[in-house]
């Protein structure tokens, strides 16, 4: 972006008699494109991070369900063994 601005200023100085303001327009348009490109990239990264977090939370939920089921089975087995022992 800065290189575009420097080139447009240099060209404006070289061709000062034919200067119709296109260098300013070029500089402004390039800055707008730079901002739009950065916003699109940030949005893509945010969506990727959100998908990653959702995947992790689904995996954690599945792990928690598995552990709860194991604990329930262990309690039932303990109750059965304790009943037979008494």
């Amino acid at each position: 972006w800065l290189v575009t601005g420097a080139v447009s200023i240099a060209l404006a100085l070289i061709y000062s008699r034919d200067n119709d303001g296109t260098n300013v327009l070029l500089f402004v348009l390039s800055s707008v494109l730079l901002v739009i490109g950065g916003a699109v990239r940030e949005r893509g990264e945010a969506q990727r991070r959100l998908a990653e977090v959702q995947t992790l939370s689904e995996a954690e939920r599945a792990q928690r369900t598995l552990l709860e089921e194991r604990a329930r089975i262990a309690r039932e087995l303990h109750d059965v063994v304790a009943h037979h022992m008494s």
Side-chain angles (χ1 to χ4, degrees):
W1 178 65
L2 291 176
V3 171
T4 303
V7 169
S8 67
I9 290 172
L11 290 175
L13 292 176
I14 293 172
Y15 300 108
S16 61
R17 62 173 185 231
D18 296 331
N19 188 4
D20 58 354
T22 56
N23 58 343
V24 175
L25 179 65
L26 178 65
F27 190 68
V28 170
L29 286 178
S30 65
S31 64
V32 168
L33 287 175
L34 185 67
V35 168
I36 290 172
V40 168
R41 185 184 67 227
E42 286 296 320
R43 179 183 163 114
E45 288 179 12
Q47 287 177 341
R48 182 188 54 78
R49 285 191 304 264
L50 179 62
E52 183 178 311
V53 166
Q54 287 175 343
T55 302
L56 288 176
S57 66
E58 289 174 5
E60 289 172 353
R61 191 176 309 121
Q63 182 69 19
R64 185 174 55 241
T65 303
L66 177 69
L67 291 175
E68 288 172 356
E69 182 67 18
R70 286 182 181 172
R72 185 187 61 80
I73 293 170
R75 279 192 305 272
E76 289 179 5
L77 184 61
H78 178 268
D79 291 345
V80 168
V81 170
H83 178 71
H84 286 296
M85 295 291 285
S86 62

